[in-house]
Structures are given as C-alpha cells and as structure tokens.
Amino acid sequence: MDERFIVLIEKDADGTYIAYNQNGDGYALIGRGETVAEAKEDFANSMSEVAESEKERKGSVAEILTTEPEYRFSLPSLFEYYSMLNVSAFARFVGINETLMRQYKKGDTYISDKQLSRIENALHKLGKEFSDLRLV
C-alpha cells in the first residue's frame, strides 16, 4: 500500500478551512482556503513545494509527497460543511441519541473510536443509498 498523508480538514475560528497532515514524520504541511476545495488545493501546493525542494536538495522525493492524500473531516467540520445534513434526523438514522449527536457536532464531548466508526459507516451507507437511487 502506498504511503500517503492523512489530512484532517477543519473549519477554523475565522470561518476558513484548514487542511493539515496528521502523519508523515518530518513533514508538517498546511493548506488554507475559503472553501474545502481551496484548502485541499493549497495543501496539494504545499506538498508540491516540499517535493520540489527535496528533489533539489536530495535528488529524490519521498513517496508520501507524490501520493494523493487521504482527506478526513472532524465531525463538527463535517456537519458544518455539509449543512444540509439535519443532525437530529441523521442521529435517528444512525441510532444515536439526538442530544448526544448535537454535542458531537459542537465538539462539546468526547467521541470514541467505536462511535466515530458507527457514524462513518452510516454516512457510507447513506451515500450508497443515494448513489443507487433513481428518480421517476
């Protein structure tokens, strides 16, 4: 499997989006933008600049700098970006208490890996259902 950056996307306090890597020892890259797409593009630009610098200095580039990153959202940023998702309705879909889901959305409470996986699986299920949907 290719080594790749795991990049977290969050909405910053100023309303912009920030993308930063959570792995890749020796690399601390950041992308910023008014939109998620701009933050991803800026992160990719940061990767390119570091790769170019490495090539000039070392004559080679680390694989992690040439592989498409894996982008991830924090749960609060996911609900912020995809504001069309009704938190209460989604909580019912997942089978999680609505109040608890609203706390997760605000970032007010700890969310376990198990609970996060449950939410992610529900998002994938919902995406598959939408993908398979046909209108008449």
Side-chain angles (χ1 to χ4, degrees), residues 13-86:
D14 66 0
T16 62
Y17 289 91
I18 183 169
Y20 59 92
N21 61 297
Q22 296 186 293
N23 67 330
D25 291 341
Y27 299 101
L29 305 176
I30 295 175
R32 286 190 163 279
E34 295 294 322
T35 65
V36 169
E38 287 178 6
K40 286 180 177 182
E41 185 178 324
D42 194 41
F43 186 87
N45 186 53
S46 294
M47 285 177 59
S48 295
E49 288 174 356
V50 171
E52 188 176 309
S53 174
E54 271 194 7
K55 188 168 186 167
E56 288 174 9
R57 287 184 302 110
K58 299 178 181 178
S60 64
V61 177
E63 179 183 357
I64 198 167
L65 292 168
T66 63
T67 305
E68 182 70 24
E70 180 180 323
Y71 293 100
R72 299 181 179 180
F73 276 95
S74 66
L75 198 57
S77 293
L78 174 95
F79 281 113
E80 177 73 32
Y81 184 66
Y82 293 102
S83 60
M84 76 289 292
L85 286 176
N86 178 288

Side-chain angles (χ1 to χ4, degrees), residues 75 79 86-105 109 111 115 118-119:
L75 198 57
F79 281 113
N86 178 288
V87 178
S88 296
F90 184 72
R92 290 189 299 275
F93 178 77
V94 178
I96 294 177
N97 178 282
E98 294 175 35
T99 301
L100 183 58
M101 185 67 85
R102 284 190 293 278
Q103 290 173 350
Y104 290 157
K105 177 188 175 200
T109 191
I111 181 168
Q115 196 78 314
R118 186 174 172 194
I119 292 167

